[in-house]
Amino acid sequence: MSNPRDTAFAVLLESYQLVDEVLKADKAAIAGKDTYDDDYFEKFFTRVQPILERRLSESITATAGLIIGAWEQAGKPVPTTNDTRPV
């Protein structure tokens, strides 16, 4: 990742584009009810689980990319530790 700002805005846009799908899952899960009970959450999660899993995977990848990009821009310094505890 060479431009964290652009990446952050791309992630926001990708997330925003999923809003309708999440709202549809909410509407379907609450249909005919007036409370958010266990049945609601089971139905809702069933529909949004693929979105959640994909976004979590993408966030892990983006975080790793951010760390590696920062390390590369810093000249790939050798990581050190100040930990003086005995092993």
Side-chain angles (χ1 to χ4, degrees):
M1 178 184 311
S2 61
N3 191 327
R5 186 195 64 204
D6 289 350
T7 301
F9 281 104
V11 168
L12 287 170
L13 179 58
E14 290 168 20
S15 295
Y16 176 74
Q17 291 171 342
L18 297 170
V19 169
D20 286 341
E21 197 171 338
V22 172
L23 290 175
K24 286 178 188 176
D26 172 65
K27 189 174 182 179
I30 197 67
K33 299 180 177 198
D34 60 356
T35 59
Y36 293 94
D37 56 9
D38 289 343
D39 183 56
Y40 163 83
F41 287 106
E42 286 179 33
K43 289 178 180 177
F44 180 72
F45 184 69
T46 297
R47 292 186 67 159
V48 298
Q49 183 178 4
I51 296 170
L52 174 64
E53 290 175 352
R54 185 178 74 243
R55 297 305 286 158
L56 284 173
S57 176
E58 291 168 351
S59 69
I60 291 166
T61 300
T63 301
L66 178 63
I67 292 168
I68 291 169
W71 176 70
E72 288 173 343
Q73 288 180 3
K76 299 182 181 179
V78 176
T80 61
T81 180
N82 293 330
D83 189 357
T84 58
R85 296 178 289 172
V87 179

